[in-house]
């Protein structure tokens, strides 16, 4: 019997649903859970974002070269920029029996469902309690123009049509409760199918 492969936890949901906050807090509870940053061709929004380590910033040309070399498990284009999950890093971790967590979009989860990558995929969709709450969260963040916020809200409706791709749905009403739910999912899934 071979060594136990890792579990690949993919957290998805609309911008403003609270994915990053939830992943950050869950990682504190599970320090052995490895976070794999996404690669992106977009420039960093701030020095703080560079330090946060959620993304690895590369040029569009370098990203496209990685695509040609099958360097991503999944990738997507959003607002003219590429985003992707590094294949070799995730496969190495899963083969070593390490559990991995990362954020992706619906398109990424669709691609992951079609591919073999050496581990078990557990896809979790994070929803805000309502579209109004989501709109308020995006307004409070203040990181995007009104047009970009509108585009994100329209995208949510498309994402809701793909909920059957997900193993779990967590409605993020209160951060503490959602962290408990997400932690319970991770504990249960680590026990095996």
């Amino acid at each position: 019997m071979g060594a136990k492969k890792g579990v690949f936890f993919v957290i998805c949901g609309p911008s403003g649903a609270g994915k990053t906050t939830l992943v950050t807090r869950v990682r504190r509870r599970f320090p052995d859970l490895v976070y794999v940053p996404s690669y992106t061709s977009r420039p960093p929004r701030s020095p703080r974002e560079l330090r946060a380590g959620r993304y690895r910033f590369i040029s569009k040309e370098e990203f496209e070269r990685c695509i040609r070399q099958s360097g991503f498990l999944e990738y997507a284009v959003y607002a003219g920029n590429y985003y992707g999950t590094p294949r070799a890093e995730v496969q190495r971790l899963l083969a070593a029996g390490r559990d991995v967590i990362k954020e992706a979009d619906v398109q990424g989860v669709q691609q992951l469902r079609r591919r073999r990558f050496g581990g078990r995929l557990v896809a979790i969709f994070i929803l805000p309690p309502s579209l109004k709450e989501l709109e308020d969260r995006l307004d409070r963040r203040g990181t995007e123009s009104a047009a970009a916020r509108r585009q994100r809200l329209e995208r949510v409706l498309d994402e809701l049509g793909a909920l059957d791709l997900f193993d779990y749905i967590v409605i993020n009403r209160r951060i503490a409760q959602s962290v408990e739910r997400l932690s319970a999912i991770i504990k249960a899934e680590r026990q095996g199918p």
Side-chain angles (χ1 to χ4, degrees):
M1 189 169 179
K4 179 184 177 286
K5 304 263 190 206
V7 180
F8 190 14
F9 295 98
V10 178
I11 311 301
C12 185
S15 184
K19 298 179 303 289
T20 303
T21 300
L22 293 175
V23 168
T24 299
R25 294 193 185 182
V26 163
R27 286 178 57 214
R28 289 183 197 143
R29 290 184 174 208
F30 300 95
D32 61 328
L33 194 60
V34 182
Y35 180 78
V36 175
S38 292
Y39 279 69
T40 183
S41 65
R42 77 163 168 78
R45 292 184 183 123
S46 68
R48 181 176 177 224
E49 185 180 46
L50 267 173
R51 291 188 304 274
R54 287 186 54 225
Y55 295 103
R56 293 181 183 145
F57 299 93
I58 61 175
S59 70
K60 182 178 181 182
E61 295 75 23
E62 189 175 350
F63 201 107
E64 289 171 345
R65 187 177 76 249
C66 288
I67 291 170
R68 289 190 301 274
Q69 296 170 347
S70 299
F72 296 108
L73 284 174
E74 60 82 23
Y75 69 92
V77 177
Y78 182 71
N81 297 300
Y82 287 109
Y83 295 83
T85 301
R87 177 184 300 278
E89 183 176 0
V90 171
Q91 288 180 327
R92 178 183 52 77
L93 289 162
L94 294 173
R98 302 289 307 272
D99 295 331
V100 174
I101 190 167
K102 83 167 307 294
E103 297 168 41
D105 68 358
V106 169
Q107 187 178 351
V109 173
Q110 288 170 329
Q111 291 176 46
L112 289 168
R113 289 277 184 218
R114 292 190 302 260
R115 292 192 169 103
R116 293 190 155 181
F117 51 83
R120 189 163 50 91
L121 175 66
V122 176
I124 305 163
F125 197 87
I126 308 298
L127 274 173
S130 69
L131 285 177
K132 174 67 174 125
E133 175 64 22
L134 180 64
E135 188 173 11
D136 291 346
R137 289 177 187 182
L138 291 173
D139 285 343
R140 284 193 301 270
R141 271 190 352 192
T143 57
E144 296 158 334
S145 68
R149 283 193 308 274
R150 193 170 42 257
Q151 182 182 16
R152 287 194 184 275
L153 290 170
E154 289 170 4
R155 188 174 179 194
V156 172
L157 300 176
D158 291 334
E159 291 174 336
L160 293 176
L163 290 179
D164 60 334
L165 289 171
F166 295 88
D167 302 296
Y168 299 92
I169 297 169
V170 174
I171 298 173
N172 186 14
R173 287 185 180 87
R174 292 189 184 89
I175 293 293
Q177 290 174 340
S178 297
V179 169
E180 290 299 325
R181 288 185 186 111
L182 196 50
S183 296
I185 291 167
I186 291 169
K187 285 180 193 172
E189 290 292 340
R190 283 180 142 187
Q191 299 304 311

